[in-house]
Amino acid sequence: MITFNSVSKRFADGTTAVDSLSLEVPDGEIAVFVGPSGCGKTTTLRMVNRMIEPTDGVIEVDGKNILKEDPAELRRRIGYVIQQIGLFPHRTIRENIGTVPGLVGWDKKRTQERVDELIEVVGLQEDSGDRYPHELSGGQQQRVGVARALAVDPPIMLMDEPFGAVDPIVRTRLQEEFLRLQQEVQKTIVFVTHDIDEAIKMGDRIALLSQGGHLEQYATPEEMLASPANEFVADFLGGERGLKQLALISVSDVDAQSGPVVTLEDTRAHASEVAGDANTDWVVVVDDARHLRGWVSIEELNGQRNVGEGNIHAFSAEVKSGDSLRTALNAMVTSRTGVAARVGEGGIYEGIVTHRLINEELSKPAQHTPD
Amino acid sequence: MDWGWVQDHLDEIQSLFFQHAQFTLLALVYGFAIAFPLALAATRWPRLYTPILGLTGILFTIPSIALFMLMMPFTGPTATTCLIALTIYTLLVLVRNTVEGLRGVPREVREAAEAMGYRRFKQLFRVELPIALPVIIAGIRIAVVTTIGLVTITALIGFGGLGALFIDGFRQAFGTPIIVGFTLSVLFAVVADVALVGAQRMLTPWARGAGGR
Ligand SMILES: Nc1ncnc2c1ncn2[C@@H]1O[C@H](COP(=O)(O)OP(=O)(O)OP(=O)(O)O)[C@@H](O)[C@H]1O
Ligand SMILES: [Mg+2]
């Protein structure tokens, strides 16, 4: 756990970079510091490993005031990914990753094994280990930067725009890989970015800072999107706040409605009745094992005896339980039925997602706490 | 070209060459021993850089003959006088290149080293100096070649290495020693330079193709 207690930093030239910051980063969580350029994100981060000393206030790591510790020792226990990558140009990738193990005195064999492991963990090709940093692409260099910070498996990681220097596609991939890794390693992470979408995606909590190092709001992404503390926060979150919120809720978080559902063997009359009850002009069709077959319009069933003889259309909007409501909504607006069909394992029909369901979800006060 | 003379004086030529090499080497070692701490100080306290550079610069521009004259009253016509003069001439380029080399270490690399938990001294020797090495070696190369040239002048006060051959030649109006002295000192400079380039390539394999010098 990292605790900031009324922490301020004024530089010698009078710039206030951080202004009376108080917050807590719980164990195993990612706290994202986000805000416009120059709002004090890097300064805040560097106060945690004492590369910058606060002018006021106290920072504690696991309840211990960091100013009471030896800076070099402290830093070796805290992984740091620097904003500009900062690999050592005169060392191979393997040597770069092995830096902190070397400093804390691991033997050769242990370091070797750990380096091998990390090369795999961060998704580098094995043969890049003996290259020098300048021989790698920007994306690969950032992976090395992350691997180097993870080397001695520090419980705490400070990451300053770790995926800043790559194109959006590589960035998305690195983000996803890192989130997957974090599920396993459960580090306590302070993550800095100026990109609100990255903050929403990576953060269990988001600390939104404004110019002068002022904390505007510290909340889960869901809370922040649902109820921004003030105008600044709302502005920074940008337009499409509703959509961003939906992106955080997965389809399985809401109870799907069963919807007007019939089987292949049901009669036309029955289908018509089911549709009527649901106030639609179509029905969902499943087989005996409840596999989703598609939908059929009542009109098209005219002259048919049972549903199976009708013209069954595939849903253009099929979603899985892991998809986000945003994905579902996108599917819905492009589909003739105006709903998304939700399918589970093996194509089993689970229900439909409707506009109303989404509306209700958005108007709920945020209660999703990160797990 | 009188090969007979060369044959007769082989021993002398050899010992003059060794003297030349010895002066060069010592001047560099002493020069570096003085320049290195000065450079570190100038890197640590940037305000010192301009005065240090100014002083070594002024020393560098004093004509060698004048420098000998200035030192005569103190150290007399001795090898020490020669060595002090030669050492002084190496300072400017050694200080300048060491400082520039250290300043050329990217800021983010220094910060990364600090963030990894290097202590200052170790960071200097394990991260900053290795990265500055190509620029430092470039300085040493210039210093070596300049010094080899300068040693010939020290012959004027009787400790000349290969320069003694020039003086011999001029005094006797005889070309061979001049040619031998000239050829050997040029050859020496070229070989020393090539050796340093080789050393640099060996010590800094990472600099190849990385915009390294
Ligand atoms: N050593 C320093 N001396 C004086 N002012 C500084 C120093 N370091 C940072 N600042 C100032 O403090 C403020 C915060 O800087 P900081 O680097 O923490 O911002 P940031 O949020 O990380 O910005 P960016 O997104 O551009 O990286 C800025 O106004 C900056 O100019
Ligand atoms: Mg920054």
Side-chain angles (χ1 to χ4, degrees):
Chain A
M1 187 158 75
I2 308 169
T3 319
F4 293 82
N5 226 321
S6 311
V7 175
S8 297
K9 176 64 192 182
R10 257 178 313 282
F11 284 107
D13 65 1
T15 318
T16 301
V18 179
D19 180 22
S20 195
L21 178 75
S22 294
L23 60 78
E24 218 174 81
V25 184
D27 280 336
E29 287 197 7
I30 303 182
V32 179
F33 285 24
V34 66
S37 190
C39 69
K41 306 181 293 290
T42 299
T43 306
T44 310
L45 202 66
R46 289 190 174 178
M47 286 194 290
V48 177
N49 73 353
R50 292 194 61 180
M51 287 171 76
I52 296 177
E53 311 248 303
T55 346
D56 266 312
V58 177
I59 299 173
E60 290 176 344
V61 169
D62 295 329
K64 277 188 250 132
N65 185 344
I66 54 161
L67 291 184
K68 301 231 162 77
E69 297 191 48
D70 174 74
E73 306 257 332
L74 177 76
R75 289 171 195 153
R76 292 170 194 172
R77 284 188 280 118
I78 300 180
Y80 193 96
V81 183
I82 187 168
Q83 192 166 3
Q84 306 83 351
I85 309 180
L87 298 181
F88 302 127
H90 63 304
R91 298 203 180 140
T92 63
I93 300 312
R94 302 187 61 91
E95 290 165 346
N96 264 281
I97 299 176
T99 301
V100 186
L103 286 172
V104 299
W106 285 15
D107 62 43
K108 268 222 175 70
K109 186 162 162 285
R110 184 169 172 207
T111 305
Q112 289 282 344
E113 284 169 3
R114 178 63 177 157
V115 169
D116 285 334
E117 186 186 347
L118 281 166
I119 283 181
E120 203 185 306
V121 165
V122 301
L124 284 162
Q125 292 100 317
E126 240 167 89
D127 62 358
S128 48
D130 294 320
R131 302 225 193 118
Y132 289 101
H134 73 88
E135 298 172 299
L136 265 53
S137 72
Q140 290 170 318
Q141 292 187 18
Q142 299 217 302
R143 289 170 197 268
V144 179
V146 172
R148 182 175 66 173
L150 282 167
V152 292
D153 204 14
I156 293 176
M157 296 272 285
L158 307 175
M159 309 177 78
D160 199 347
E161 308 215 15
F163 312 133
V166 289
D167 64 68
I169 295 172
V170 175
R171 186 175 215 196
T172 307
R173 197 163 68 224
L174 290 175
Q175 288 168 341
E176 267 152 25
E177 285 173 13
F178 188 76
L179 282 176
R180 218 169 304 139
L181 179 63
Q182 164 67 355
Q183 295 223 308
E184 278 168 47
V185 295
Q186 301 272 319
K187 306 269 176 216
T188 307
I189 298 172
V190 181
F191 188 109
V192 163
T193 178
H194 57 254
D195 172 3
I196 185 66
D197 291 310
E198 183 167 63
I200 292 170
K201 182 167 184 180
M202 304 302 289
D204 293 311
R205 280 158 212 275
I206 300 177
L208 181 48
L209 300 169
S210 58
Q211 225 40 258
H214 197 77
L215 181 65
E216 298 289 343
Q217 188 170 9
Y218 184 50
T220 64
E222 290 84 355
E223 276 164 19
M224 195 174 276
L225 285 164
S227 37
N230 56 40
E231 196 98 332
F232 179 87
V233 178
D235 275 354
F236 201 84
L237 291 169
E240 304 181 351
R241 224 170 65 216
L243 287 178
K244 284 172 184 161
Q245 227 174 319
L246 289 180
L248 291 174
I249 306 170
S250 71
V251 166
S252 58
D253 288 341
V254 298
D255 305 318
Q257 291 168 353
S258 64
V261 56
V262 299
T263 65
L264 291 165
E265 284 76 33
D266 283 332
T267 61
R268 181 188 167 279
H270 179 70
S272 175
E273 195 185 313
V274 169
D277 287 349
N279 221 351
T280 62
D281 60 351
W282 50 268
V283 287
V284 180
V285 183
V286 299
D287 64 16
D288 289 338
R290 280 190 79 78
H291 289 114
L292 179 66
R293 284 308 182 85
W295 61 275
V296 66
S297 87
I298 301 302
E299 208 177 305
E300 281 173 340
L301 282 178
N302 269 335
Q304 317 287 356
R305 258 187 317 118
N306 64 27
V307 173
E309 290 169 12
N311 184 11
I312 300 173
H313 309 274
F315 269 95
S316 63
E318 255 181 47
V319 294
K320 300 189 182 58
S321 39
D323 289 336
S324 71
L325 282 187
R326 185 176 179 158
T327 309
L329 182 65
N330 182 55
M332 285 155 62
V333 296
T334 55
S335 93
R336 150 77 172 76
T337 54
V339 304
R342 175 175 151 187
V343 294
E345 284 301 307
I348 300 289
Y349 173 70
E350 292 182 340
I352 56 174
V353 182
T354 63
H355 282 118
R356 214 169 110 211
L357 214 60
I358 288 179
N359 255 330
E360 277 168 9
E361 195 57 38
L362 279 186
S363 50
K364 272 190 213 164
Q367 85 285 49
H368 303 276
T369 38
D371 34 28
Chain B
M1 189 75 195
D2 182 346
W3 291 107
W5 182 90
V6 176
Q7 290 267 269
D8 291 346
H9 295 79
L10 221 50
D11 281 350
E12 192 195 336
I13 293 172
Q14 198 179 34
S15 82
L16 286 174
F17 176 80
F18 279 127
Q19 193 182 31
H20 205 115
Q22 195 186 13
F23 270 18
T24 306
L25 188 71
L26 284 176
L28 257 115
V29 169
Y30 293 147
F32 203 76
I34 297 168
F36 189 66
L38 284 179
L40 292 189
T43 312
R44 178 83 176 73
W45 298 285
R47 236 182 295 172
L48 293 180
Y49 189 35
T50 313
I52 289 176
L53 213 56
L55 184 69
T56 53
I58 289 170
L59 290 174
F60 188 72
T61 56
I62 301 176
S64 37
I65 309 277
L67 192 55
F68 290 145
M69 295 305 154
L70 281 173
M71 282 171 26
M72 280 301 183
F74 306 102
T75 47
T78 60
T80 314
T81 309
C82 300
L83 218 54
I84 291 175
L86 291 170
T87 301
I88 282 175
Y89 285 122
T90 65
L91 293 181
L92 176 65
V93 64
L94 291 179
V95 169
R96 193 191 59 200
N97 278 49
T98 306
V99 172
E100 294 303 329
L102 287 173
R103 285 190 174 180
V105 177
R107 184 193 164 125
E108 67 268 18
V109 170
R110 265 184 283 125
E111 289 178 348
E114 198 189 335
M116 297 298 116
Y118 273 100
R119 295 182 201 281
R120 180 171 273 152
F121 197 68
K122 206 166 183 182
Q123 178 172 328
L124 178 65
F125 281 92
R126 303 294 282 281
V127 179
E128 296 176 27
L129 281 171
I131 295 174
L133 205 54
V135 184
I136 298 176
I137 294 182
I140 294 178
R141 282 171 59 193
I142 299 172
V144 165
V145 173
T146 333
T147 308
I148 291 175
L150 278 171
V151 175
T152 51
I153 293 171
T154 58
L156 291 175
I157 53 170
F159 300 86
L162 295 167
L165 293 174
F166 292 155
I167 296 194
D168 264 12
F170 283 122
R171 203 155 39 213
Q172 302 167 30
F174 174 45
T176 301
I178 298 178
I179 296 172
V180 170
F182 177 78
T183 313
L184 279 181
S185 68
V186 170
L187 217 63
F188 181 31
V190 170
V191 168
D193 197 48
V194 168
L196 280 166
V197 172
Q200 196 223 300
R201 301 200 116 227
M202 243 174 55
L203 290 171
T204 63
W206 52 274
R208 263 172 243 161
R213 278 136 286 218

